[in-house]
């Protein structure tokens, strides 16, 4: 008797090719339900509808299709237990050798704006998880596939093992099945719970060599069923990504996401930007960012918001870099970068989308906060000095403010010509950060802009900035002594703008 495969999928990627190989190459019979059955029929493949196989029609608008003893008996039967075989024969149930199931797109549905609770509830799959769990439990006797990426590997298993999938493959596939249902249920629970419960789970993508230091074990996990963010990136060349690489890449992504309209480049060291710049071309933007602090750029992480072209690739090869990420990379650029085979080159089409929350572990629990994704709007800023900014100064203030948002507190950023000149990061007091940023900028501070992620508690930093040649300052305001800083700015002929938004980054 031919073997039996049950196919019931929401994501139909690769379905027809898999089904055709099962039928034509390995002599499987197919049973299927709903849209999957129709897709197979439209492709000219022989398929029996689940309703015809079970003798029970789909009911409740499709809510009940596969919840039937002929389905679950065929999945759960143990081929080495005589009573199970007898039960199958007495109930005219065929053993099922392969289950191919993926689930209703619940996460994709709730991600859409304006989705109602009733719409979300209708995307909660019932039969799918039941089949996945049943077939994963009985991996000793059948195979389960829940991801189109598994299809080719399964077919190769059959080809290499006389038409059978190995026990090792089946157990690995079962683990993926249970992980799939666990993530799915967690997404539903999180959605329904709102803020009462916060569930965090992921599927391990790979074990990392180590964490921040060699004595710290580490691993990389993907959240959700569909790969997004760095899990969806393509690595064109280079060594495996490290824990620190990934942390720095995310810091780079957050900065570059601030700039969409103009070519932009940023170079990250230890999650802080050592150089960020805008340019008329992506090559110009990178060169300006590199020249901002060429010493610190050595061994840095580069993010670009435009495709890598040959001119940019040539510049990238002039120094040692750990990683480069861009939306894409043309063929000529790839050939040039290939000469530096150790540099990790990644493409990620969507560099703007990031996590909605940030999570930090603490003893006995963890903290969750909404990501700092406030979009800077200069039209909402308050100009509090007698001197008003020119259009050029206002654009520079906006650039400096966007960069400052992504520098560790206390953060001070000095910029000119849409390029960072000095960055004071992570100091225990703001005076120290001001000093570092101005010293790094040197003579270039004359006529430049200064941004501060928090308010100035005293007017000393304002006076220090003016003495170095700074002409305009952007800061959130909110200090009881704001009037002292404003008075000093007026006295010294500076522009001061208050954003009303603080951007601490701890």
């Amino acid at each position: 008797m031919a073997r039996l495969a049950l196919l019931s999928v929401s994501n139909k990627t690769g379905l027809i090719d898999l089904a055709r190989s099962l039928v034509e190459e390995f002599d499987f019979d197919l049973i299927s339900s709903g849209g999957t059955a129709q897709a197979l029929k439209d492709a000219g493949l022989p398929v029996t509808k689940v309703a015809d196989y079970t003798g029970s029609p789909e009911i409740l608008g499709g809510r009940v299709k596969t919840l039937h003893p002929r389905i679950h008996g065929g999945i759960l039967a143990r081929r080495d237990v005589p009573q199970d075989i007898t039960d199958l024969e007495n109930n005219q149930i065929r053993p099922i050798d392969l289950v191919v199931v993926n689930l209703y797109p619940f996460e994709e549905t709730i991600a859409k704006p304006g989705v109602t609770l009733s719409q979300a509830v209708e995307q909660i799959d019932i039969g799918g998880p039941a089949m996945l769990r049943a077939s994963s439990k009985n991996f000793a006797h059948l195979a389960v596939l829940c991801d189109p990426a598994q299809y080719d590997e399964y077919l190769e298993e059959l080809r290499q093992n006389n038409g059978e999938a190995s026990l090792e493959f089946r157990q690995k596939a079962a683990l993926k099945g249970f992980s799939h249902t666990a993530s799915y249920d967690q997404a539903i629970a999180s959605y329904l719970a709102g803020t009462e419960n916060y569930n965090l789970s992921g599927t391990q993508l790979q074990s990392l060599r180590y964490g921040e230091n060699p004595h710290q074990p580490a691993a990389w996990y993907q959240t959700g069923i569909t790969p997004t963010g760095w899990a969806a990136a393509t690595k064109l060349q280079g060594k495996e990504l490290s824990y620190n690489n990934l942390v720095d890449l995310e810091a780079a992504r957050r900065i570059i996401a601030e700039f969409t309209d103009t070519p932009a480049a940023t170079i990250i060291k230890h999650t802080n930007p050592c150089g960020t710049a805008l340019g008329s071309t992506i090559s110009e933007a990178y060169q300006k960012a590199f020249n901002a602090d060429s010493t610190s750029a050595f061994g840095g992480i580069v993010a670009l918001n435009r495709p890598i072209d040959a001119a940019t690739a040539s510049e990238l090869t002039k120094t040692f870099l750990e990683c480069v990420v861009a939306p894409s990379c043309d063929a000529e650029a790839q050939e040039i970068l290939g000469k530096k085979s150790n540099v990790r080159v990644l493409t990620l089409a969507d560099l703007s989308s990031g996590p909605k929350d940030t999570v930090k572990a603490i003893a006995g629990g963890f903290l969750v906060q909404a990501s700092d994704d406030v979009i800077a709007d200069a039209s909402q800023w308050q100009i509090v000095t007698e001197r008003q900014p020119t259009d050029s100064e206002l654009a520079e203030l906006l650039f400096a403010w966007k960069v400052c948002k992504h520098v560790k507190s206390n953060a001070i950023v000095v910029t000119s010509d849409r390029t960072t000149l000095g960055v004071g990061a992570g100091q225990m007091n703001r005076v120290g950060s001001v000093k570092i940023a101005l010293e790094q900028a040197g003579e270039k501070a004359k006529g430049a802009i200064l941004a501060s992620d928090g308010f100035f508690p005293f007017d000393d930093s304002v006076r220090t900035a003016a003495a170095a040649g700074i002409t305009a300052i952007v800061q959130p305001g909110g200090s009881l002594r704001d009037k002292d800083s404003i008075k000093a700015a007026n006295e010294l002929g500076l522009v001061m703008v208050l954003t009303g938004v603080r951007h601490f980054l701890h």
Side-chain angles (χ1 to χ4, degrees):
M1 181 184 292
R3 286 174 293 175
L4 186 61
L6 169 61
L7 285 66
S8 180
V9 295
S10 176
N11 177 2
K12 296 176 176 56
T13 302
L15 170 70
I16 302 305
D17 289 341
L18 171 67
R20 183 169 285 113
S21 293
L22 293 175
V23 171
E24 297 177 357
E25 193 174 347
F26 299 105
D27 196 31
F28 273 84
D29 288 340
L30 307 180
I31 57 175
S32 188
S33 62
T36 307
Q38 189 62 51
L40 295 171
K41 183 180 178 181
D42 291 344
L45 292 166
V47 59
T48 299
K49 290 186 177 181
V50 165
D52 294 333
Y53 176 73
T54 63
S56 297
E58 295 184 8
I59 61 173
L60 306 181
R63 279 189 167 196
V64 179
K65 296 190 284 278
T66 57
L67 297 169
H68 193 281
R70 292 201 79 192
I71 297 298
H72 285 273
I75 291 173
L76 286 165
R78 294 159 292 187
R79 317 298 166 82
D80 56 356
V81 176
Q83 185 59 52
D84 284 11
I85 300 304
T86 299
D87 287 343
L88 292 183
E89 292 171 350
N90 289 342
N91 291 279
Q92 298 182 311
I93 298 173
R94 290 177 62 180
I96 295 174
D97 296 279
L98 173 66
V99 174
V100 183
V101 175
N102 54 59
L103 309 178
Y104 295 169
F106 179 81
E107 288 184 282
E108 292 85 344
T109 298
I110 62 174
K112 297 175 182 177
V115 170
T116 65
L117 176 61
S118 61
Q119 290 172 327
V121 166
E122 285 309 309
Q123 290 302 317
I124 297 176
D125 204 327
I126 301 300
M131 288 188 291
L132 268 182
R133 289 178 59 81
S135 50
S136 296
K137 174 179 179 175
N138 206 27
F139 69 84
H141 302 284
L142 77 160
V144 57
L145 308 177
C146 62
D147 184 344
Q150 296 173 292
Y151 296 171
D152 287 342
E153 186 180 0
Y154 174 72
L155 293 173
E156 193 58 31
E157 278 280 317
L158 300 186
R159 295 180 184 118
Q160 296 295 326
N161 298 292
N162 297 316
E164 298 289 340
S166 66
L167 179 61
E168 179 184 11
F169 174 86
R170 298 198 306 271
Q171 184 169 346
K172 183 175 71 172
L175 172 60
K176 190 172 183 69
F178 281 123
S179 297
H180 191 37
T181 57
S183 296
Y184 193 77
D185 286 342
Q186 183 159 307
I188 296 167
S190 296
Y191 173 76
L192 294 176
T195 58
E196 292 182 17
N197 294 298
Y198 192 93
N199 300 308
L200 182 65
S201 71
T203 302
Q204 184 171 315
L205 289 180
Q206 67 182 76
S207 178
L208 302 172
R209 285 181 61 198
Y210 51 80
E212 288 179 310
N213 299 290
H215 62 276
Q216 295 174 266
W220 178 10
Y221 290 83
Q222 171 191 317
T223 56
I225 297 167
T226 304
T228 59
W230 298 109
T234 300
K235 184 161 71 71
L236 301 180
Q237 68 172 58
K239 298 179 290 185
E240 289 298 321
L241 292 166
S242 72
Y243 179 96
N244 289 335
N245 289 158
L246 287 161
V247 171
D248 283 338
L249 279 166
E250 177 60 14
R253 186 203 61 75
R254 288 196 298 265
I255 291 183
I256 214 67
E258 295 281 353
F259 307 104
T260 57
D261 298 334
T262 305
T266 189
I267 306 172
I268 298 292
K269 288 292 288 291
H270 306 296
T271 73
N272 282 306
C274 57
T276 301
L278 307 184
S280 58
T281 65
I282 196 63
S283 178
E284 180 190 20
Y286 170 71
Q287 289 178 68
K288 289 170 67 178
F290 176 81
N291 291 333
D293 187 354
S294 58
T295 301
S296 298
F298 183 86
I301 305 285
V302 175
L304 310 168
N305 71 345
R306 295 290 189 274
I308 307 173
D309 54 22
T312 309
S314 296
E315 292 298 321
L316 290 167
T317 60
K318 292 180 180 179
T319 191
F320 168 67
L321 298 170
E322 285 280 353
C323 304
V324 177
V325 63
S328 62
C329 181
D330 69 34
E332 188 177 359
Q334 284 190 53
E335 184 177 351
I336 294 168
L337 289 167
K339 298 172 184 176
K340 294 274 191 176
S341 58
N342 284 335
V343 64
R344 302 160 178 89
V345 178
L346 295 89
T347 57
L348 180 57
D350 182 9
L351 284 163
S352 62
S353 298
K356 294 179 180 179
D357 301 320
T358 58
V359 181
K360 289 189 178 183
I362 60 172
F366 56 89
L367 307 174
V368 180
Q369 67 171 351
S371 294
D372 187 4
D373 54 7
V374 174
I375 298 173
D377 182 0
S379 69
Q380 301 300 310
W381 292 355
Q382 182 183 7
I383 302 166
V384 293
T385 48
E386 296 167 0
R387 191 166 83 78
Q388 300 291 295
T390 64
D391 290 344
S392 177
E393 283 178 319
L394 192 59
E396 192 71 44
L397 287 163
L398 182 60
F399 170 78
W401 183 243
K402 288 182 175 182
V403 176
C404 191
K405 172 182 175 181
H406 301 283
V407 176
K408 291 286 187 181
S409 298
N410 289 304
I412 297 293
V413 174
V414 176
T415 77
S416 180
D417 189 28
R418 315 304 187 272
T419 306
T420 55
L421 303 177
V423 178
Q427 298 305 299
M428 285 63 73
N429 63 75
R430 197 160 299 279
V431 172
S433 290
V434 170
K435 182 179 179 181
I436 290 171
L438 291 173
E439 284 183 351
Q440 189 179 20
E443 289 299 310
K444 293 180 181 178
K446 290 183 171 60
I449 300 298
L450 183 144
S452 172
D453 68 341
F455 61 65
F456 295 109
F458 304 101
D459 67 1
D460 49 0
S461 290
V462 176
R463 295 184 181 278
T464 301
I470 295 296
T471 62
I473 293 174
V474 57
Q475 55 127 330
S479 170
L480 292 174
R481 294 177 176 268
D482 274 349
K483 62 181 185 300
D484 294 339
S485 295
I486 296 168
K487 180 181 177 182
N490 280 325
E491 176 188 326
L492 298 164
L494 294 161
V495 169
M496 181 171 286
V497 174
L498 305 186
T499 66
V501 177
R502 190 182 73 184
H503 285 305
F504 281 177
L505 179 61
H506 288 87

